[in-house]
C-alpha cells in the first residue's frame, strides 16, 4: 500500500559461501558483458490478478493465468452485450472523449477512462455494471499449505497483506486481588525481517478477555469506535474517545501528561473499524525496543470478539530487534487454577497490500510477447504432466544465482520492472550429518556419608566429643550425607540422581519443603546450657566440663574457723583469700577429683631431734650415751660400751737406753722402740661408765583438712542441623530405583565449582544394606556418580556448500524407543567457527572498564551468566564466575580485542549522560548508554579438533586402513565429505539441559504432531508442521523448555496416553483386574492410573457389566435394569427378570466361566417391590473363557427371580497393583490410563532408562534426513591374540565417541538379556579414541584364553547405555608346548612336571592337563605359573605306565572353548630306563692318588669328564660308586637323562663305552686318564640296549599343501571375501576325505574341527593387515 514505508530492505539474502569457480561470490550487480553477469536463462511465471481486475484496490482472492487479448481492437454496438463480460469482451480506456463508444454512461468530457486507465460506464464488463470479476484460476491453497510447502499449486500465494509470521512469547502477571484475572499481559517477539510503520502484528490471546474498568488498574477506560457495517458503510472511527480517571498516559509526542479531566480526546490512537465483527478497544500500553528504547506512536487495540491483540507499528523496526509490550486490564475466561493463556503464540504480520508468492523448482512457467496496445499478447502457460505442456515448468539449478523482477500491466501498457536489490541463490536442503560420535549424560562425582546417629547429637560426659559421621550399622536406618561439586552450573528445577544400590526404605518418599523430613545444609548449630558449648564444621560436639563445689573442714591446734558465702562451690582458691588454717589448699580437678592437703602435726619433747611422720607418728631420736669415769680417755660406743686409754699414765725408766721407748698396746703397758729391752712401761687402771640419754617426744595434731567435691553444674551440649539447604529444598527417595533425586530450588542454581553438602535425616527411613556395604565411587572412597538431567551430543558433518548451506541443526529426543510419543525438538544454530550467532540486550555497566580489567560490574544480577558470552561494543567476553553484579571474565573472545568500555559516551543536551534502571539512555543529546548484550554461539565445537579438519578417510572415501594415522582419518560409512572439491569435516556439539534448553515447534514427530507420531515414526526425514514458513526457520516462538526425566523418580517417567478406565477400580488387595476402553498394546507393559503404577501381566476377558434383561432387535436396542425397552418397538424387546422381594443389598460373585477368577460386584434394591435398582461391577475379574454364572454371594435376603446376565469384555487387564514402589489407590471411572515408557520397553543394544536422539541439518530449503545414533563394530585387528595379552588392537566402528571416557571394550560374552557377562569377559586396557568421528579406537588386549570370544563395546554415561557386539570375532592363540621336565620319570612315583611353552594364560582354573598314553593320567592339578610355564602333577595309579605325551588344554566352555597342545617330540615322557653299573680298570698305582687327597679328587673328576665327553652326555649322568685297588678299579653308574626321552639309555651308553674301550682311536681312549682302560658290563646289558632302541619314539613332519587350501582362495582381503574363503576352507577341511596332519600324523577326530579353524584363519588372511571394505 502507498501508506507503508520502510527504513530497511524487506528481505536481505547474503550468500557467504561460493562455489570454487564463482566470481565475487556470484553477487553480480549489473547485466553487461564487463561484469560477466549476463543472464543465461529467464523464466516467466503466470500472470497474477487480484479478486477484481477492474477496481482500484489490490484485494480479494488472488488468481493466476488470465488469458486473452488485453483489450478489444474495436468498439461496436454488437460487442456490448450482457454476456460479453470481461475478459471475453475487453473494453478498455479510449484515447479521446466523445468517441464512438455506444455506452451511454460514458463521460462526455472525460471519455470512458477512469483513474489509471480503469474503465467506466455501463458495459457488463465494466465496474459501472458490477461485472468486473477476474476470471483467472483461483489459488486453491490456504496460507498454511503455501507456507509449509504442501500446496497443490506451484507457485502459490499468501492472502494479500500476509507476510512471514512471528513467534511471540507471552507472559502473565496475575491480578493481585481479583481471582481469575490478570493485571497485565507481556508480549515479546523478535523478527529476522524488518517491520515498517503501518505494519500490523495480530497476536491471538486464547483464554483471555479484556475488561473495563479494571478495579486495580483504573487508569483508562476506552469507548469503542463506531464499527462499520452493511447499513453504514461510510462509518469509521478515525478518532476514539477515552474516558480518563485521573491517570497518566503517554501521548503521541512521547511525553507524559497528567490527564485530570473526565473526557479527553486523544488523536494518537486512531484505528480503522471496518470489520462487521470487530469490536476494537484502544489500549494503553508501554513498549520497548531492545529493552532501552521506549516505543512511541504504536497503536494497540483488542479485537474483543476474537480475543486478538493488534499492534500497529509506529516506528521502523530493524531485523532481530526485540519488541516488548505490556498491556493491562485482562481477565481470564475460566478459573485461574486452570492454565488459561499459552506462553507462546503465532502472530500474523499484515503489511498493507503486500503480496507474497512462493515458488520452488517445478513451478508453472509461461510465455508471452508484447505488442502495441497488447502487453501480454500470445500468452501461453504450461501445466504439470509427463511431459509437462509447453512452455513447460521452471527448473531451478542448485547453486545458481537468480534475480527476480515484477511488472504491472493494464489494458494497454506494461510497467517498468521492480527488481530485487540482491541476488538469490537456489539451494537444496543440506546433507544429513555424517557421523553421530557420542551422547553422554552430565554427571558429577559425589562422596556419600552414612551415620547411625540422629541429626541432633548430644554429649553428656565431661570433656568428651561426639561426631555424627560414625559409620551406620548394617541393616539400620541411616542419615545420608551427599557431598559433591558440580562441574557446571545446574539450573533451577534441574534434578541430580544419586543411586544407592542395596539400600532399602519406603517405596516412595518426598523429602524437603512441604514434608515432615527436611533436607539439611551441612551446617551445625550448637545448643546447651553453657556458653562454652561448641560445634565444629563437621558436627563434632565439644562440651565443657562439669563444675564442682569445694568443701573444707579443718581440725587441730592450728585450725581456724572461716566463713565465706563464696567459698562453697569454688573450683579453685585463687580468686578468694581463704586463710591457710581454714584449709585453703583444698581443691577439685576439672573431672571432679578431690585434692586434699596432707594433715600437719606439731613436734614436742625434751630432745631437740624429736620428730613426727606425715601421719602423726612420733619419730623418737636415737639413744645417746654419756660417758663417766676416772680417765680422760673413757668413751662410749653407739651401743653404750665403754672404752679407755692409758697413754697419759706412761712411766719410763730413764736409765741409759730407754730414752726413745714408747708405751703402747693395751693400757699403754707395752714398751717399744727403745734400745734396751729392759725398758718397761707401767699404767694406771681407768673406771669408765656409759650412761644413756632419756627423750620424751610427742606429735599433737596441728591441722587436718577434710575436703569434698560435690557436683555444682552439669553441662549438656549438642550439635544439630536446623538449617535447611538453600539450594536444594526438595528431594525424592525411590525404593524402586534405590536412588535419591535432588531438585534444585526455583529461583536459584548450583554454581559450578562450588561444593554442595547436604544431609537427609534418619527419619527418612533409608536403611543401610544388611550385606555388601556402601557404594564405592570412582576415586575409591564411599560415593558414586550423580546424574544431572542434561546431555551432551557430539556429531560431525561435511562443510556446507553454496548450493547446500546449513543454518543449523534440529535435535529430536524421546524416551520412546519407537519414537511414537514424548518427542521434543531443539534447534541449534550453526556457525562454522562457533562464533556469535545472535545477541540480545541484557543490562548496562555501572563501572567503567579498562582494557585490562578482569572483573566488570553490571546493573543487575544474573546468576545464569556463568559460562555465557557477552558483547560490549565490539568486544566479546566470556563470563567465568558471577558474584552478585560483579562478573569475573575472560576478555577478547572470538578474535576481538579487549578495549576500554565506558558506562556512557557522548554529550548530554542538559545535565550529564547516564543510564536509567532499564538501561535506557539519560541526558539526551549524543548520550549513549553502553548496553551489555548476551551472545549465543553456534553448534560447531572448536574443542574437537579445532572444529574442522581434513581427515576424511582414504582417498576413495569408503574405507579405513588398519593402522591408519589420525591425519588420514577413518570413514567406514563412506560419507562424501567433498565440498567444492575439498574434503572437510566439521564437528558439532550441543548441550541439552532439562528445564533450561528451550524447545522449538519447528518440525513434527515424523508427520504427526509436535510430540507424537502414529506411523513411520522412525522416519528418514521429518516434515515441518502445518503452516511452517519456507525460509522462515525462526518464525516459531519458543516452546516450553525441554523436560528430562530422572530415572530415580518413577512419577517423572514419561507417559504415553493409551485409554481410559471402563470401570472404577478400588484399592482392595484382591483387586487384580482393570477394565479399560481399549486394551490394545498394553500386554507386558507398565501402566499408570493417577498416582499408581501397575504391571499388565496379560490382556484377558472379564465381566464389564451385569444386566437383568437382555435386549433383542439390533444394535440400537437396550434395556434398563427394570426391563424398559430403549429403542423402537418393534423390533427392540427385552427378555429377563428384574427380581423381586429383596430386603437387603448384596454382593455378587461368579462361578464357572472356564476358570475365571476375581469378579466382584454389588447391588441395591427398590424398596417398593424388592427388585434390582442398581448393579455395580467393582472388579471385572480375569481369565473368563466362557460365560460365567453370576450369583449373590453375600446379603440379598429375600431376593427371588434372580436371573443375572454377565456382559464380557476382552479389554480387561490382569495387573500387578502398586508396581515400582507406588501405592494401591482407588480410581474413578474414566480415569486416564497411560503406558509408562521406560520400564515398558527393552532393547538389548540400548538398555536402560535412556533418552533417544536424532539429528538433522536444516536451511531455508528444508530439512535433511535424520542421523540416528548407532554404535556398531565393523572390524578389529588382530582377531587372534596371544594369551599373555598386552598386544595392540585396533577397532573400526561407528559411534565410538570423541573420547574413551564412557567406553569399555571387553573380550568375552554377553548374558541372556544382552548385557556384558562380567564374569566371562575381560577388559581391554589403555582404550584410546583415534578418530573423533568415533570410528577408530585402539587398546591393549587382556590376558585371556579360549577358542571363540565376542568383542563387546559397552558405552554408559548416566542413563545412556549401548552395547555393540562382534560375535565370535576373537580367538586366543592355542597353547604350544616346547619342553617338559623331567621327560623320563620314575615308574609308579608321583612327579611334578614343569611344562614350558606359551599361551597358557594366567588362570589355573581354566587349564587342565593329562598324560596321554596307554594308561592316561590326569594332572592333579595343573598350576599355571606364567603364560610360559605350568606345572603338572602326575599321580600314577597301580598299573599306570608313565609313558606318553603331556597335553595341556587351555580354556573351557566358560572361557570360550578349550584348545590343546599337540603331541610332539617335545611333549613326550616315558619311564626312566634302569641305570647301569659299569666297572673300569686303569693301569695306575692307587698309591699315587691317596684317599682324601687332592690328587684323588683331581683324578676322579678327570675320569668322569673323560667318560662324559666320550659318550657326549652331561657329567651329571655319571655317578661314582667306588674305587678300589688292583691298579685302579672304578665302579660308576650311568643314569637316565631325566629331560629327554630321545637321549641314549644307560644300557646303550654302557655298550657304547665298552666298544670305545676296545678301540684305540675312540674318544674315550683319547682322554686324559682313560687312554688305557678296560670296561666290564653287567650281563645282559647289550640285550637291554637293543630292546630299548626298538621302542624309541620317532619324529614325524608336516605334510604337503592340502586340498582345502588349493580349493578355497580369498578373492581379496576384504571382510566379505575373507569370510567366504573361511567358510569354504573349514567345510572342505572338516568334511573332506583328506584329514589334516600335524607332525606327520592325522589329527584325532575330536581335534579336527579346531585344527581346521586355525589353519583356515591363517590361510584366508585373518592374520595379515587388511583394508576394511564397505
Amino acid at each position: 500500500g502507498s501508506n507503508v514505508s520502510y527504513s530497511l530492505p524487506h528481505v536481505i539474502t547474503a550468500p557467504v559461501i561460493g562455489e570454487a569457480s564463482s566470481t565475487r561470490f556470484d553477487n553480480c550487480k549489473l547485466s553487461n558483458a564487463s561484469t560477466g553477469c549476463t543472464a543465461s536463462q529467464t523464466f516467466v511465471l503466470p500472470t497474477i490478478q487480484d479478486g477484481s481486475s477492474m477496481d482500484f484496490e489490490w484485494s480479494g482472492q488472488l488468481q493466476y493465468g488470465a488469458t486473452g487479448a488485453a483489450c478489444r481492437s474495436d468498439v461496436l454496438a454488437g460487442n456490448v452485450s450482457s454476456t460479453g463480460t470481461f475478459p471475453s469482451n475487453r473494453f478498455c480506456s479510449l484515447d479521446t472523449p466523445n468517441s464512438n463508444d455506444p455506452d451511454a454512461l460514458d463521460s462526455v468530457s472525460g471519455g470512458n477512462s477512469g483513474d489509471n486507465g480503469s474503465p467506466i460506464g455501463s458495459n457488463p464488463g465494466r465496474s459501472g455494471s458490477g461485472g468486473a470479476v477476474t476470471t483467472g484460476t483461483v489459488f486453491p491453497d490456504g496460507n498454511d499449505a503455501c507456507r509449509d510447502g504442501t500446496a497443490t499449486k506451484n507457485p502459490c500465494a499468501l492472502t494479500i497483506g500476509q507476510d512471514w509470521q512471528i513467534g511471540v512469547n507471552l507472559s502473565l502477571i496475575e491480578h493481585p486481588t481479583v481471582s481469575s484475572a490478570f493485571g497485565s499481559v507481556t508480549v515479546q517477539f523478535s523478527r529476522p525481517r524488518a517491520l515498517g510503520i503501518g505494519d500490523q502484528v495480530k497476536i491471538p490471546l486464547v483464554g483471555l478477555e479484556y475488561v473495563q474498568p479494571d478495579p486495580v488498574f483504573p487508569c483508562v477506560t476506552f469507548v469503542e469506535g463506531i464499527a462499520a457495517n452493511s447499513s453504514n458503510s461510510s462509518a469509521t472511527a478515525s478518532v476514539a474517545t477515552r474516558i480518563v480517571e485521573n491517570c497518566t498516559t503517554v501521548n503521541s509526542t512521547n511525553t507524559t501528561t497528567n490527564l485530570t479531566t473526565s473526557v479527553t480526546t486523544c488523536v494518537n490512537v486512531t484505528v480503522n473499524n471496518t470489520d462487521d465483527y470487530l469490536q476494537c478497544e484502544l489500549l494503553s500500553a508501554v513498549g520497548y525496543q531492545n529493552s532501552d528504547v521506549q516505543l512511541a506512536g504504536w497503536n494497540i487495540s483488542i479485537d474483543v470478539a476474537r480475543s486478538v491483540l493488534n499492534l500497529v507499528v509506529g516506528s521502523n523496526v530493524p531485523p532481530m530487534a526485540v519488541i516488548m509490550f505490556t498491556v493491562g486490564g485482562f481477565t481470564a475466561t475460566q478459573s485461574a487454577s486452570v492454565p488459561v493463556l499459552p506462553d507462546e503464540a503465532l502472530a500474523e504480520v499484515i503489511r498493507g497490500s503486500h503480496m507474497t508468492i512462493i515458488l520452488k523448482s517445478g513451478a508453472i512457467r509461461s510465455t508471452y510477447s508484447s505488442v502495441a496496445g497488447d502487453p501480454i499478447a500470445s500468452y501461453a502457460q504450461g501445466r504439470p504432466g509427463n511431459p509437462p505442456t509447453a512452455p513447460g515448468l521452471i527448473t531451478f539449478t542448485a547453486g545458481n544465482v537468480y534475480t527476480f523482477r515484477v511488472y504491472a500491466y493494464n489494458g494497454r501498457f506494461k510497467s517498468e520492472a521492480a527488481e530485487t536489490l540482491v541476488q538469490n541463490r537456489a539451494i537444496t536442503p543440506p546433507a544429513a550429518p555424517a557421523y553421530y560420535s557420542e551422547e553422554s549424560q552430565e554427571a558429577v562425582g559425589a562422596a556419600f556419608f552414612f551415620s547411625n546417629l540422629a541429626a541432633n547429637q548430644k554429649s553428656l560426659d565431661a570433656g568428651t566429643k561426639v561426631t555424627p559421621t560414625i559409620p551406620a550399622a548394617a541393616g539400620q536406618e541411616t542419615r545420608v550425607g551427599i557431598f559433591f561439586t558440580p562441574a557446571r552450573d545446574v539450573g533451577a528445577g534441574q534434578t541430580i540422581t544419586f543411586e544407592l544400590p542395596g539400600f532399602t526404605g519406603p517405596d516412595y518418599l518426598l523429602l524437603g519443603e512441604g514434608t515432615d523430613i527436611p533436607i539439611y545444609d551441612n551446617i551445625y548449630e550448637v545448643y546447651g546450657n553453657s556458653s562454652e558449648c561448641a560445634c565444629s564444621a563437621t558436627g563434632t560436639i565439644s562440651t565443657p566440663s562439669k563444675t564442682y563445689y569445694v568443701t573444707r573442714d579443718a581440725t587441730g591446734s592450728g585450725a581456724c574457723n572461716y566463713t565465706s558465702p563464696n567459698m562453697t562451690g569454688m573450683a579453685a582458691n585463687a580468686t578468694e583469700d581463704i586463710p591457710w588454717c581454714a584449709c585453703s589448699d583444698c581443691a577439685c580437678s576439672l573431672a571432679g577429683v578431690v585434692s586434699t592437703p596432707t594433715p600437719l602435726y606439731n613436734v614436742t619433747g625434751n630432745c631437740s631431734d624429736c620428730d613426727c611422720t606425715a601421719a602423726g607418728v612420733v619419730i623418737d631420736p636415737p639413744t645417746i650415751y654419756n660417758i663417766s669415769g676416772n680417765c680422760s680417755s673413757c668413751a662410749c660406743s653407739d651401743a653404750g660400751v665403754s672404752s679407755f686409754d692409758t697413754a697419759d699414765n706412761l712411766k719410763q725408766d730413764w736409765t741409759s737406753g730407754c730414752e726413745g721407748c714408747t708405751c703402747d698396746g693395751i693400757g699403754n703397758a707395752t714398751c717399744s722402740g727403745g734400745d734396751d729391752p729392759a725398758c718397761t712401761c707401767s699404767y694406771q687402771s681407768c673406771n669408765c661408765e656409759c650412761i644413756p640419754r632419756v627423750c620424751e617426744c610427742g606429735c599433737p595434731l596441728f591441722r587436718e583438712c577434710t575436703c569434698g567435691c560435690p557436683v555444682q553444674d552439669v553441662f549438656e551440649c549438642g550439635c544439630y542441623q536446623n538449617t535447611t539447604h538453600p539450594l536444594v529444598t526438595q528431594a525424592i527417595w525411590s525404593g524402586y530405583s534405590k536412588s535419591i533425586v535432588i531438585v534444585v530450588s526455583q529461583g536459584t542454581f548450583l554454581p559450578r565449582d562450588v561444593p554442595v553438602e547436604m544431609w537427609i535425616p534418619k527419619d527418612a527411613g533409608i536403611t543401610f544394606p544388611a550385606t555388601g556395604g556402601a557404594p564405592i565411587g570412582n576415586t575409591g572412597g564411599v560415593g558414586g556418580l550423580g546424574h544431572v538431567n542434561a546431555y551432551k551430543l557430539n556429531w560431525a558433518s561435511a562443510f556446507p556448500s553454496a548450493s547446500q548451506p546449513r543454518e543449523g541443526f534440529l535435535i529430536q529426543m524421546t524416551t520412546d524407543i519407537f519414537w511414537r510419543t514424548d518427542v521434543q525438538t531443539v534447534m541449534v544454530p550453526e556457525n562454522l567457527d562457533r562464533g556469535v550467532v545472535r545477541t540480545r540486550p541484557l543490562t548496562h555497566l555501572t563501572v567503567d572498564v579498562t582494557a585490562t580489567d578482569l572483573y566488570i560490574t553490571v546493573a543487575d544480577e544474573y546468576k545464569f551468566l556463568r559460562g555465557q558470552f557477552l558483547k560490549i561494543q565490539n568486544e566479546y567476553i566470556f563470563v567465568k564466575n558471577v558474584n552478585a553484579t560483579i562478573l569475573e571474565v575472560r576478555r577478547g573472545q572470538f578474535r576481538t580485542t579487549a578495549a576500554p568500555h565506558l558506562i556512557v559516551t557522548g554529550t548530554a543536551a542538559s545535565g550529564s549522560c547516564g543510564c536509567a534502571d532499564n538501561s535506557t539512555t539519560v541526558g539526551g543529546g549524543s548520550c549513549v548508554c553502553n548496553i551489555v548484550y548476551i551472545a549465543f554461539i553456534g553448534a560447531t565445537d572448536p574443542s574437537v579438533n579445532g572444529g574442522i579438519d581434513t581427515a576424511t578417510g582414504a582417498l576413495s572415501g569408503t574405507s579405513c586402513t588398519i593402522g591408519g594415522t589420525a591425519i588420514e582419518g577413518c570413514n567406514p560409512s563412506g560419507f562424501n565429505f567433498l565440498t567444492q572439491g575439498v574434503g572437510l569435516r566439521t564437528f558439532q556439539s550441543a548441550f541439552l539441559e532439562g528445564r533450561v534448553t528451550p524447545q522449538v515447534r519447528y518440525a513434527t514427530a515424523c508427520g504427526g504432531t509436535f510430540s507424537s507420531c502414529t506411523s513411520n515414526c522412525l522416519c528418514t526425514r521429518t516434515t515441518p508442521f502445518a503452516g511452517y514458513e519456507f525460509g522462515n526457520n525462526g518464525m516459531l516462538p519458543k516452546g516450553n523448555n525441554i523436560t528430562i526425566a530422572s530415572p530415580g523418580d518413577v512419577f517423572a517417567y514419561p507417559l504415553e496416553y493409551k485409554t481410559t478406565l471402563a470401570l472404577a477400580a478400588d484399592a482392595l488387595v484382591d483387586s487384580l483386574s482393570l477394565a479399560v476402553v481399549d486394551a490394545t498394546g498394553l500386554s507386558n507393559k507398565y501402566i499408570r492410573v493417577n498416582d499408581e503404577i501397575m504391571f499388565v501381566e496379560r490382556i484377558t476377558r472379564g465381566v464389564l457389566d451385569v444386566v437383568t434383561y437382555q435386549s433383542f432387535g439390533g444394535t440400537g436396542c437396550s434395556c434398563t435394569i427394570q426391563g424398559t425397552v430403549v429403542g423402537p418397538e418393534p423390533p427392540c424387546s427385552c427378555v429377563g427378570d428384574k427380581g423381586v422381594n429383596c430386603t437387603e443389598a448384596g454382593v455378587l460373585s461368579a462361578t464357572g466361566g472356564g476358570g475365571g477368577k476375581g469378579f466382584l460386584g454389588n447391588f441395591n434394591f427398590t424398596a417398593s417391590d424388592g427388585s434390582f435398582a442398581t448393579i455395580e461391577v467393582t472388579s471385572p475379574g480375569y481369565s473368563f473363557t466362557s460365560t460365567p454364572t453370576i450369583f449373590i454371594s453375600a446379603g440379598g435376603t429375600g431376593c427371588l427371580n434372580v436371573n443375572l446376565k454377565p456382559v464380557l469384555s476382552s479389554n480387561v487387564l490382569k495387573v500387578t497393583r502398586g508396581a515400582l514402589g507406588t501405592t494401591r489407590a482407588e480410581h474413578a471411572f474414566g480415569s486416564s490410563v497411560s503406558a509408562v515408557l521406560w520400564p515398558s520397553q527393552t532393547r538389548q543394544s540400548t538398555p536402560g532408562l535412556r533418552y533417544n536422539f536424532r539429528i538433522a541439518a536444516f536451511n531455508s530449503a528444508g530439512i535433511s534426513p535424520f542421523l540416528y545414533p548407532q554404535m556398531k563394530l565393523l572390524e578389529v585387528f588382530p582377531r587372534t591374540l596371544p594369551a599373555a595379552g598386552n598386544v595392540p588392537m585396533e577397532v573400526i566402528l561407528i559411534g565410538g565417541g570423541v573420547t574413551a571416557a564412557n567406553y569399555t571394550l571387553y573380550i568375552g560374552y554377553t548374558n541372556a538379556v544382552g548385557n556384558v557377562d562380567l564374569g566371562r569377559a575381560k577388559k581391554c586396557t589403555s582404550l584410546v579414541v583415534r578418530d573423533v568421528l568415533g570410528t577408530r579406537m585402539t587398546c591393549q588386549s587382556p590376558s585371556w584364553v579360549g577358542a571363540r570370544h565376542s568383542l563387546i563395546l559397552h558405552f554408559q554415561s548416566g542413563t545412556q547405555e549401548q552395547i555393540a557386539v562382534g560375535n565370535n570375532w576373537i580367538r586366543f592363540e592355542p597353547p604350544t608346548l616346547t619342553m617338559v621336565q623331567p621327560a623320563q620319570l620314575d615308574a609308579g612315583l608321583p612327579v611334578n612336571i614343569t611344562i614350558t611353552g606359551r599361551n597358557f594364560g594366567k588362570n589355573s582354573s581354566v587349564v587342565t592337563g593329562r598324560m596321554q598314553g596307554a594308561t592316561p593320567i590326569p594332572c592333579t592339578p595343573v598350576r599355571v605359573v606364567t603364560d610360559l610355564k605350568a606345572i603338572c602333577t602326575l599321580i600314577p595309579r597301580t598299573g599306570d605306565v608313565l609313558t606318553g605325551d603331556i597335553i595341556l588344554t587351555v580354556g573351557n566352555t566358560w572361557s570360550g572353548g578349550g584348545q590343546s597342545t599337540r603331541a610332539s617330540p617335545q611333549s613326550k615322557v616315558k619311564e626312566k630306563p634302569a641305570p647301569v653299573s659299569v666297572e673300569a680298570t686303569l693301569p695306575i698305582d692307587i698309591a699315587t692318588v691317596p684317599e682324601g687327597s687332592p690328587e684323588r679328587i683331581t683324578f676322579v673328576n678327570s675320569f668322569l669328564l673323560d667318560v662324559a665327553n666320550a659318550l657326549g652326555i652331561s657329567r651329571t649322568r655319571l655317578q661314582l660308586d667306588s674305587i678300589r685297588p688292583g691298579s685302579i678299579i672304578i665302579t660308576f653308574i650311568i643314569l637316565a637323562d631325566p629331560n629327554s626321552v630321545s637321549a641314549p639309555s644307560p644300557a646303550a651308553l654302557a655298550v657304547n663305552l665298552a666298544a670305545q674301550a676296545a678301540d684305540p682311536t675312540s674318544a674315550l681312549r683319547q682322554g686324559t686318564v682313560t687312554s688305557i682302560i678296560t670296561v666290564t658290563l653287567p650281563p645282559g646289558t647289550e640285550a637291554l640296549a637293543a630292546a630299548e632302541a626298538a621302542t624309541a619314539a620317532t619324529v614325524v613332519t608336516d605334510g604337503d599343501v592340502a586340498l582345502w587350501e588349493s580349493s578355497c582362495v580369498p578373492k581379496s582381503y576384504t571382510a566379505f571375501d575373507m569370510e567366504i574363503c573361511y567358510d569354504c576352507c573349514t567345510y572342505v577341511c572338516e568334511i573332506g576325505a583328506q584329514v589334516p596332519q600335524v607332525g606327520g600324523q592325522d589329527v584325532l577326530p575330536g581335534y579336527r574341527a579346531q585344527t581346521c579353524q586355525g589353519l583356515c584363519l591363517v590361510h584366508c588372511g585373518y592374520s595379515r593387515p587388511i583394508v576394511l571394505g564397505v
Side-chain angles (χ1 to χ4, degrees), residues 281-297:
E281 303 285 1
L282 303 181
L283 309 182
S284 174
V286 179
Y288 288 93
Q289 178 175 307
N290 293 337
S291 302
D292 57 354
V293 177
Q294 187 166 351
L295 297 173

Side-chain angles (χ1 to χ4, degrees), residues 431-457:
Y435 285 90
Y436 195 119
S437 303
E438 184 176 356
E439 56 191 30
S440 57
Q441 184 174 14
E442 187 77 3
V444 57
F448 297 155
F449 299 92
F450 305 102
S451 165
N452 62 359
L453 299 178
N456 296 340
Q457 311 302 324

Side-chain angles (χ1 to χ4, degrees), residues 433 436 439 791-795 808-814 819 823-829 939 988-992 997-1000 1002-1004 1010 1022 1042 1252-1258 1263 1266-1267 1269:
Y436 195 119
E439 56 191 30
Y791 294 92
K792 183 176 183 181
L793 311 183
N794 288 91
W795 68 95
F809 297 88
L810 287 181
I811 301 173
Q812 289 192 332
M813 56 187 293
T814 181
W819 286 89
V823 179
Q824 303 177 84
T825 303
V826 171
M827 183 174 70
V828 184
Q988 288 80 34
S989 68
F991 191 72
L992 310 179
T997 303
Q999 287 191 69
V1000 295
Y1002 176 95
T1004 66
F1010 296 119
T1022 187
I1042 61 173
N1252 306 282
F1253 299 92
R1254 58 190 181 194
I1255 302 173
F1258 70 88
I1263 306 170
F1266 277 123
L1267 175 66

Side-chain angles (χ1 to χ4, degrees), residues 11 97 196-197 207 220 238 253 326 356-357 445 468 649 754 845 1008 1092 1106 1129 1151 1352 1389 1409 1418 1489 1509:
V11 178
I197 297 174
V220 178
S238 59
T253 59
T326 303
T356 300
I357 300 294
N649 299 320
V754 176
L845 296 171
E1092 181 183 359
V1106 176
E1129 297 183 68
T1151 184
I1352 308 166
L1389 297 179
V1489 287
N1509 289 339

Side-chain angles (χ1 to χ4, degrees), residues 1537-1622:
D1537 188 342
N1539 298 321
S1540 175
V1541 294
S1542 60
S1545 67
L1549 291 173
V1551 171
N1552 183 2
L1553 190 63
Q1556 289 193 53
D1559 181 2
T1561 63
S1562 66
L1564 179 65
R1565 297 288 293 273
Q1566 311 306 313
T1568 57
V1569 297
T1570 57
S1571 57
I1572 302 174
I1573 187 172
T1574 301
V1575 173
T1576 303
L1577 303 180
T1581 302
E1582 291 83 352
L1584 177 60
E1588 291 172 343
T1591 58
T1594 59
V1595 178
V1596 295
T1597 58
D1598 293 335
D1600 296 327
V1601 176
L1603 178 63
W1604 53 83
E1605 294 183 0
S1606 60
S1607 302
C1608 307
V1609 179
K1611 294 180 180 180
S1612 66
Y1613 289 111
T1614 63
F1616 179 77
D1617 288 337
M1618 291 162 64
E1619 190 70 18
I1620 292 176
C1621 169
Y1622 178 80

Side-chain angles (χ1 to χ4, degrees), residues 389-424:
T389 59
L393 306 177
I394 298 174
T395 302
F396 292 113
T397 302
N400 283 1
V401 176
Y402 293 87
T403 298
F404 296 89
R405 58 176 70 103
V406 180
Y407 301 88
Y409 72 92
N410 61 17
R412 295 193 180 278
F413 306 104
K414 185 175 74 170
S415 71
E416 293 186 1
E419 186 169 331
T420 52
L421 301 179
V422 295
Q423 283 70 48
N424 301 269

Side-chain angles (χ1 to χ4, degrees), residues 1143-1229:
T1143 60
E1144 180 187 15
V1147 176
L1148 301 179
S1149 299
T1151 184
K1157 300 177 181 178
F1159 167 78
L1160 285 175
N1162 57 57
F1163 70 90
N1164 213 327
F1165 64 97
T1166 303
S1168 60
D1169 61 358
S1171 62
F1172 287 97
T1174 60
I1175 298 177
E1176 179 186 13
V1177 176
T1178 57
S1179 176
Y1182 54 91
S1183 300
F1184 288 98
T1185 59
S1186 61
T1187 303
T1189 299
I1190 306 299
F1191 65 97
I1192 299 174
S1193 58
T1197 301
C1199 291
L1200 299 176
N1201 301 335
V1202 177
N1203 185 18
L1204 301 176
K1205 302 172 182 62
V1207 178
L1208 295 180
S1209 170
S1210 296
N1211 290 310
V1212 173
L1213 311 176
K1214 171 66 170 62
V1215 296
T1216 300
R1217 300 289 298 270
L1220 306 189
T1222 60
T1223 304
R1224 288 171 172 267
E1226 295 182 354
H1227 307 290
F1229 164 78

Side-chain angles (χ1 to χ4, degrees), residues 769-913:
T771 59
I776 303 300
N778 291 341
T779 59
V782 175
L785 290 178
H787 298 131
V788 185
N789 59 340
Y791 294 92
K792 183 176 183 181
L793 311 183
N794 288 91
W795 68 95
S797 307
F799 195 89
S801 67
S803 59
Q804 284 188 306
R806 191 168 59 225
E807 293 187 33
F809 297 88
L810 287 181
I811 301 173
Q812 289 192 332
M813 56 187 293
T814 181
T815 51
D816 183 355
I817 59 176
F818 304 107
W819 286 89
R820 292 173 303 198
T821 188
D822 189 39
V823 179
Q824 303 177 84
T825 303
V826 171
M827 183 174 70
V828 184
E830 168 69 304
N831 197 349
L832 294 177
D833 62 356
R834 202 174 175 87
V836 175
V837 173
R838 61 191 186 280
T839 58
R840 292 287 186 273
L842 186 69
T843 183
H844 63 275
L845 296 171
T846 57
V847 177
D848 292 339
V849 177
T850 69
T852 58
D853 283 343
L854 297 179
Y855 294 87
I856 65 174
T857 305
V858 295
D860 303 288
E861 180 178 1
Y862 295 101
K863 295 180 179 179
F864 69 87
L865 284 179
R866 189 171 190 169
Q868 303 293 325
F869 290 92
L870 302 178
K871 181 184 180 185
I872 306 177
Q873 294 177 303
N874 293 322
E875 181 187 356
Y876 287 102
I877 297 170
F878 176 75
V879 181
K880 296 169 61 178
N881 286 296
V882 178
N883 183 6
T885 59
I886 300 175
L887 311 180
E888 182 184 1
V889 298
R890 188 181 300 131
R891 303 288 298 274
Q893 302 297 294
F894 301 117
R895 298 181 296 279
T896 60
T897 301
H901 304 293
L902 303 178
I903 300 174
V904 290
T905 58
T907 303
S910 62
S912 59
C913 295

